[in-house]
Amino acid sequence: EVRADRATVPPMSWRVEFRSGVWLPQIGWWLDAHFPVARSFVSHAHSDHIAAHGEILCSAVTSQLMRARLPEGQDMFLPFGHTEALTAECTVTLHPAGHILGSAQALLSHESLGRLLYTGDFKLRPGLSAERCALPQADVLIMETTFGKPQYVFPPTEEVMRAITAFCHLAVDEGAVPVLFGYSLGKSQELLCGLAAAGLPVMLHPQALRLTRIYAKTGIALPAYTPFDAASCRGHVVICPPQGPSSPFLRQIPRRRTAMISGWAVEPGAVHRYQCDAAFPLSDHADYPDLLRFVEAVQPKRVLTLHGFAREFATTLRERGIEAWAVGEDNQLEFALGASRATTVAPSATTAIKPRADSALLPEAFARFAETADAIGRDERKSEKVATLTHYLGSLSTEAASIAALFFTAR
C-alpha cells in the first residue's frame, strides 16, 4: 500500500493498493484488475487488461473490442471528455491514451481527495489508428512506465515506417513474402495504415482480421486488406501475431522474411532474441523522453509508477524533485550520493546546499549521516544525543530530513 506521508500531499489523500491491478478502497473501484472483481475501469482491450468483471467502465470502442474476447457483461462506456458521477463524492472523465483505438485514461475528481489520473498504457506520439493522447492535469498520477530507462528512445515513427516499407519491398522484389510480427490488436492496424502508401497488398492473420473488422465498424478508415491465403500470399505483406520459426502458420510460407515490430527492437540483439530477419522499434507505448514530458505536462504533486522499469523511473523523478514511488514494489530511499565535499559540487547541481561551517561535508551527503549516527552511538548522555540529532536534521532540506528520520528509526 502506498500511503500519503509527505508534506506535499494533503492530509486526506488517495490510498492506492496494488493486488494484480490497482485498488482504490476509498471509492470501491479497481483500475485494470487482472481477475474478475465487482467494479473495474478497463483502460483498453488487450487481453492482459480485461476480465469478466461485474461492472466495467471503459470507452465505447474498448467495449466493442473487449466483447470480441469476453462474453457480454455490464459495461458503462463514456465518450471522451464527458464527466459522469462514479460515487456520491467522485466523478470520472475519460481521456484518450493514444495506446490503441479506444484506449483511455481515467481522471477521477473527488471532493476531498483531489484529482487522480490513471493512464493505463499510453503513448504521446500520434498514431495512425488511435486517438491522440490527452494531457489532463492532476494531483496524483498513476502511470505505466514500460520503457522507463534512458536507453529507450524511439526514432521518429515516419523513419521507422520507411524502414519497414523498404524491408517489405526488398523481400517482394527478391521473391520472398515479408511477414511482419505485431499484436493482433493495435499494432496490426497501425502497420496496415502505415503501409497504405507502399503500394503493396496486405494479408491479415485470422486473429488480426477479426479485430480489424471491428475497427472498420467503429468508422475508422482503413486501407484495403484481404484474409491470409497461403496459396496466393506471394507478392503480399503478411501481418500476424508473433510466431516461432516452426509455427504451423509460418510453415505455410516457405519463402518468407520475418520482422518483429516492437519497442524492444531498440535493444541490441533483438533479431537474435526474436529469431527473425529484422526488428523495427515501432511501439504503442511512450518512450523515456515522452514519459518525462507527460509528467511535466500533468504537473502532479505525487507520481505512482507501474509496470516495466517502475522503480527506476520513480527514482529518476525523485532525483528531479518530484515525489514518486513504484506501486507494489520495495522503494529504495536514498540520499544524494556523489561529491561529499562542498568544494566539488558543480554550480548546476539540482539542489543548492550550503556547507555547515564546522564541516567540509555537505549536509545531505551520506557520509554526514554516518558521522552523525556514530556520534549519537558514542555519546551516553541522552540530552547530547538529542542535541546532535536536532543539529543534524536542522541542517537538511525538508525532503532529506524526512528520509533521514526514516533511516534513524531503522524501519
Side-chain angles (χ1 to χ4, degrees), residues 324-375:
W325 310 101
V327 181
E329 297 187 28
D330 293 331
N331 287 271
Q332 179 68 46
L333 300 178
E334 65 281 316
F335 285 122
L337 296 178
S340 295
R341 303 284 165 178
T343 55
T344 61
V345 176
S348 59
T350 55
T351 304
I353 305 170
K354 294 184 178 179
R356 289 274 301 280
D358 57 350
S359 174
L361 285 172
L362 290 171
E364 298 187 16
F366 191 81
R368 185 67 181 277
F369 171 86
E371 284 183 355
T372 304
D374 285 343

Side-chain angles (χ1 to χ4, degrees), residues 142-390:
I142 306 176
M143 64 184 298
E144 68 104 350
T145 51
T146 300
F147 293 105
K149 293 179 76 173
Q151 62 262 40
Y152 295 107
V153 180
F154 303 144
T157 300
E158 298 78 9
E159 178 183 319
V160 179
M161 281 308 310
R162 282 196 297 269
I164 294 172
T165 300
F167 169 85
C168 294
H169 273 298
L170 181 61
V172 170
D173 291 345
E174 296 181 354
V177 176
V179 180
L180 305 181
F181 294 147
Y183 290 125
S184 56
L185 176 56
K187 189 66 64 64
S188 291
Q189 293 76 32
E190 189 73 6
L191 287 170
L192 178 62
C193 292
L195 291 169
L200 293 169
V202 175
M203 285 186 171
L204 299 180
H205 182 280
Q207 291 180 23
L209 178 68
R210 181 166 58 102
L211 293 165
T212 301
R213 285 172 172 166
I214 297 175
Y215 265 59
K217 289 179 182 178
T218 67
I220 297 295
L222 295 170
Y225 57 88
T226 57
F228 174 75
D229 176 41
S232 58
C233 66
R234 181 164 297 187
H236 290 72
V237 177
V238 176
I239 299 176
C240 70
Q243 309 276 320
S246 60
S247 71
F249 180 81
L250 287 185
R251 286 204 301 266
Q252 301 177 76
I253 313 172
R255 293 200 64 190
R256 61 181 180 269
R257 292 205 189 146
T258 58
M260 173 61 73
I261 315 299
S262 169
W264 300 110
V266 297
E267 294 185 334
V271 169
H272 301 290
R273 184 170 66 255
Y274 293 117
Q275 301 181 62
C276 54
D277 298 304
F280 300 98
L282 184 69
S283 179
D284 294 328
H285 296 265
D287 65 358
Y288 180 79
D290 276 353
L291 292 174
L292 292 173
R293 190 157 66 91
F294 188 83
V295 174
E296 182 180 353
V298 175
Q299 298 182 4
K301 297 185 177 77
R302 181 172 165 221
V303 179
L304 305 177
T305 57
L306 282 170
H307 310 309
F309 297 104
R311 186 183 305 175
E312 292 86 345
F313 192 71
T315 300
T316 295
L317 293 181
R318 290 200 298 274
E319 290 171 350
R320 291 168 175 252
I322 300 170
E323 183 187 348
W325 310 101
V327 181
E329 297 187 28
D330 293 331
N331 287 271
Q332 179 68 46
L333 300 178
E334 65 281 316
F335 285 122
L337 296 178
S340 295
R341 303 284 165 178
T343 55
T344 61
V345 176
S348 59
T350 55
T351 304
I353 305 170
K354 294 184 178 179
R356 289 274 301 280
D358 57 350
S359 174
L361 285 172
L362 290 171
E364 298 187 16
F366 191 81
R368 185 67 181 277
F369 171 86
E371 284 183 355
T372 304
D374 285 343
I376 292 171
R378 286 193 304 267
D379 204 318
E380 296 182 356
R381 297 165 297 176
K382 183 176 180 180
S383 60
E384 290 302 314
K385 291 178 185 285
V386 171
T388 299
L389 183 58
T390 301

Side-chain angles (χ1 to χ4, degrees), residues 22 109 137 220 254 354 358 392:
V22 175
S109 298
Q137 294 187 350
I220 297 295
K354 294 184 178 179
D358 57 350
Y392 170 67

